[in-house]
Amino acid sequence: MTQIRLLLCKDCKSTEVLPAYQGDPRRDTVLEYAAAKHQYPNGERHFGRLYPVEGVDEDRWHSDSSAREEILRRVWQEEGATGMEPWVYQAVDTLKDDAMQCWRSRNRPETCADFHSEKKRLAPPTAADRKAEGLPKWDKHNPAGQRYLCDYCPIRSVNEQKMRHKLGLYK
């Protein structure tokens, strides 16, 4: 049974699964590769910890969601997470990555014609579940419940400033 290790990045609030390593720590290339992704643009590394996970191999980690969630809950609780489950941080990180990819695919514009457009609206895929529970359809016209991929984009603040300027809020 190959054991695993968890690499926790406190800055990204992310978790990566790494295989166990028994050799010289200076030659742990898997850890070096994984840790190299966690740094700021100025080259300064993020703060994180490495946890060995006893009695869990990669197959069990990927197949037993209840064990995985319990391990993550305990580890993040020990790390003093803000009380949110790790999947919340992972979801936000995924949205940030998707928004960054969208921005880069458009050659890093300073403004975006698709800002808060219909095709950038995030809608939950819960129609069947809501119907099965007898709940009404998700209200896509309720502005308080709307979320957009644009909300995670690096130029969000630029677009918001332009909208406020049009509304005369800076006079």
Side-chain angles (χ1 to χ4, degrees), residues 10-166:
K10 287 187 164 189
D11 295 315
C12 296
K13 302 285 191 262
S14 65
T15 308
E16 288 187 58
V17 179
L18 305 176
Y21 182 77
Q22 298 298 323
D24 183 356
R26 294 174 292 187
R27 298 190 196 286
D28 190 351
T29 56
V30 173
L31 176 59
E32 278 301 316
Y33 177 78
K37 296 183 284 185
H38 296 277
Q39 63 182 356
Y40 293 103
N42 67 1
E44 183 179 329
R45 290 199 169 196
H46 291 178
F47 182 73
R49 286 194 57 188
L50 189 64
Y51 281 88
V53 180
E54 299 294 327
V56 177
D57 61 5
E58 287 189 59
D59 290 336
R60 182 170 178 218
W61 179 261
H62 294 295
S63 65
D64 188 351
S65 63
S66 61
R68 180 177 58 240
E69 289 172 9
E70 177 61 22
I71 291 167
L72 287 172
R73 185 191 64 73
R74 283 188 319 204
V75 167
W76 279 107
Q77 187 175 25
E78 183 178 317
E79 286 297 321
T82 62
M84 305 287 279
E85 295 289 328
W87 68 266
V88 174
Y89 299 111
Q90 292 168 351
V92 170
D93 289 343
T94 299
L95 289 167
K96 286 179 181 179
D97 290 344
D98 290 349
M100 186 66 81
Q101 183 178 1
C102 176
W103 180 63
R104 286 182 181 144
S105 72
R106 296 165 180 262
N107 297 321
R108 302 174 184 223
E110 291 185 20
T111 61
C112 183
D114 284 338
F115 185 74
H116 281 196
S117 70
E118 181 66 29
K119 66 182 180 179
K120 298 298 178 184
R121 183 190 319 253
L122 300 174
T126 57
D129 294 334
R130 293 175 73 83
K131 186 175 183 178
E133 293 294 322
L135 297 171
K137 290 183 179 180
W138 181 72
D139 186 6
K140 68 178 186 178
H141 301 293
N142 176 7
Q146 300 307 308
R147 296 297 173 261
Y148 297 87
L149 186 61
C150 311
D151 295 338
Y152 302 92
C153 183
I155 62 164
R156 174 187 177 190
S157 62
V158 172
N159 283 316
E160 287 179 342
Q161 285 178 356
K162 287 183 180 188
M163 288 173 25
R164 290 181 188 132
H165 187 34
K166 282 183 183 178

